[in-house]
Amino acid sequence: MLRTVSSELAYIALLFALFVIPKALQRFRIPGAITSLLLGLAAARAGLFTGDPTLALLATLGITGLFLFAGLDVDAKDLRRGAALVAQHLVIQALLLAGVAWAIAAATGVDWRPATLVALALVTPSTGFILDSLQSFGLDADQRFWTRTKAVATELLALAVLFAVLQSTSAARFAGASAALLAVVVLIPLVMRAFAVAIAPWAPRSEFAFLVMLAVMAAFATRKLGVYYLVGAFLVGVAARRFRERLPAFSSDRLLHAVEVFASFFAPFYFFSAGAHLHPELLTLSSLATGVVYLAAMIPLRVGLVAVHRKLALREHLGQARRVATALVPTLVFSLVLAEIVIERFEGVPPWLVGGIIPYALLNTMLPALTLGATASFDEVHLEVTEPEPGPALAAAPPPAGPGQAG
């Protein structure tokens, strides 16, 4: 009886910590995700919630919600409207990824596969986090359009690279995993079609529960394929968005807000769990020094490439271009996932090389809050009706700068 009461009090204390403390610290421009991660790190050092199956389940729902939300925001029309600029952006990102991976492999002597994953952790924007925080970044409608479109396109590229790297141990494994993933991709719309025909007409307002459960099942399926939970959840979101003609409720504002609330509620558990599972060998002075090197090298490079590209392609003022580039800087979720994968899958990788990803991700996630004048946090839900996003601005002259946007 005492143990049950103690357990209940522990969970109540956890809920209080995850939903109150991050809010209190937002006044200091500390993103709630970072606060949750640090709370998890502190709890693990105190021996609390170690190996807790309930927390593991809540964390899985958190990562699933994050990438379901990101997938639902993939709009093929947006990608087509900005196709030329997005294609150029992806070429630049691919070259950046290849260059960083080569530099890591050449400097440390590690195999190309973990080197590529570390490079992915350094250059891939955390799309779910960015999309949820977009309204708080202080960007105008056109800048939000480009931030959303570029973040989604870059994540699609990163997921493809992640799959290829993890399954490239042999041709047979790659072929088998590709066939299994293709089966998942084909099966998801079939399940949605069956739901639309056999269940939805007699079960109104059941779309949200169905979508979340389908995302969880797909996430576990892709986890078994060795490409982590995020791929399956992301695929369900993309498929739901494309299925909107058959079942418009799958892409309605009501459903999008419901998924956002779901992700916002469970995401703190994911970050708490990620902090609790950080390997001690990653938390050293060498890792901190490596993180500082990553920051000094990667942030100017990433911001500079995006800003210069926008200046040349759209003739934007560098000050405006820098705002979009800065909004794309946070890598928190992708960095945490990839650091965990490298530690679990690859032996002989120097701990400081992977450990440097952690301070790098924590600090770059704070950059928009510090420089764009807003506090980015995934536990901050935006339920207001947003203004329609315009198409890409391809005019020769840059639009007038709004207040505080002049570079």
Side-chain angles (χ1 to χ4, degrees):
M1 178 67 179
L2 288 176
R3 181 175 297 180
T4 301
V5 173
S6 176
S7 176
E8 290 175 350
L9 290 176
Y11 284 117
I12 291 172
L14 177 61
L15 290 172
F16 178 86
L18 291 182
F19 295 111
V20 176
I21 295 177
K23 293 288 187 182
L25 294 181
Q26 283 185 17
R27 61 181 298 181
F28 303 109
R29 300 192 182 279
I30 300 176
I34 293 179
T35 304
S36 299
L37 187 142
L38 295 177
L39 287 172
L41 180 61
R45 297 301 169 266
L48 302 175
F49 298 103
T50 56
D52 189 300
T54 302
L55 181 60
L57 174 61
L58 295 174
T60 301
L61 292 175
I63 189 68
T64 300
L66 282 168
F67 280 86
L68 174 62
F69 178 66
L72 281 168
D73 215 62
V74 176
D75 192 331
K77 291 182 179 179
D78 283 350
L79 294 176
R80 285 195 297 268
R81 279 189 294 172
L85 194 70
V86 169
Q88 295 167 17
H89 174 77
L90 289 181
V91 169
I92 294 171
Q93 293 302 304
L95 293 175
L96 175 62
L97 173 63
V100 174
W102 174 85
I104 291 172
T108 64
V110 301
D111 184 68
W112 70 272
R113 295 172 68 221
T116 302
L117 294 182
V118 172
L120 270 178
L122 299 179
V123 306
T124 305
S126 182
T127 302
F129 179 88
I130 291 171
L131 293 181
D132 184 76
S133 305
L134 202 53
Q135 293 293 331
S136 67
F137 282 169
L139 305 177
D140 63 31
D142 185 64
Q143 291 167 343
R144 290 198 302 272
F145 170 86
W146 283 117
T147 300
R148 175 184 293 108
T149 303
K150 289 184 175 184
V152 167
T154 306
E155 184 159 277
L156 290 171
L157 173 65
L159 290 174
V161 173
L162 173 64
F163 177 81
V165 170
L166 292 179
Q167 305 302 324
S168 61
T169 52
S170 68
R173 175 170 179 171
F174 183 81
S178 298
L181 185 62
L182 180 61
V184 172
V185 172
V186 172
L187 186 60
I188 288 172
L190 294 179
V191 174
M192 288 182 175
R193 188 171 292 110
F195 172 81
V197 172
I199 298 177
W202 293 271
R205 298 181 179 272
S206 61
E207 298 87 4
F208 169 73
F210 167 77
L211 199 60
V212 170
M213 290 303 100
L214 183 60
V216 171
M217 289 188 291
F220 274 99
T222 56
R223 181 70 171 90
K224 291 295 183 181
L225 291 177
V227 289
Y228 213 75
Y229 301 107
L230 51 86
V231 177
F234 188 82
L235 289 174
V236 170
V238 172
R241 184 74 181 228
R242 293 180 61 84
F243 200 66
R244 58 187 173 184
E245 291 183 2
R246 185 66 177 270
L247 194 61
F250 272 166
S251 61
S252 68
D253 288 341
R254 180 180 62 83
L255 184 68
L256 288 174
H257 289 324
V259 172
E260 185 177 13
V261 171
F262 176 86
S264 299
F265 181 83
F266 287 104
F269 294 103
Y270 166 73
F271 292 115
F272 181 88
S273 179
H277 287 88
L278 286 178
H279 295 262
E281 63 268 25
L282 300 183
L283 307 174
T284 63
L285 290 177
S286 297
S287 297
L288 179 59
T290 304
V292 172
V293 172
Y294 287 158
L295 281 168
M298 297 304 304
I299 299 302
L301 183 59
R302 292 177 60 204
V303 172
L305 284 174
V306 174
V308 171
H309 173 229
R310 291 184 63 80
K311 178 177 175 59
L312 295 176
L314 299 178
R315 300 184 182 179
E316 273 188 345
H317 190 283
L318 273 178
Q320 292 180 314
R322 178 189 57 81
R323 295 179 67 81
V324 174
T326 302
L328 290 169
V329 161
T331 66
L332 185 61
V333 179
F334 234 90
S335 291
L336 294 174
V337 168
L338 289 167
E340 180 180 345
I341 290 175
V342 173
I343 289 295
E344 288 181 353
R345 303 286 187 88
F346 300 96
E347 297 180 357
V349 178
W352 54 264
L353 182 67
V354 184
I357 294 173
I358 307 304
Y360 169 78
L362 294 179
L363 294 173
N364 72 38
T365 300
M366 296 180 66
L367 189 63
L370 296 174
T371 61
L372 297 180
T375 303
S377 173
F378 205 93
D379 60 4
E380 179 180 331
V381 184
H382 305 287
L383 296 179
E384 68 270 13
V385 178
T386 57
E387 59 185 294
E389 303 288 0
L394 299 176
Q405 293 179 331

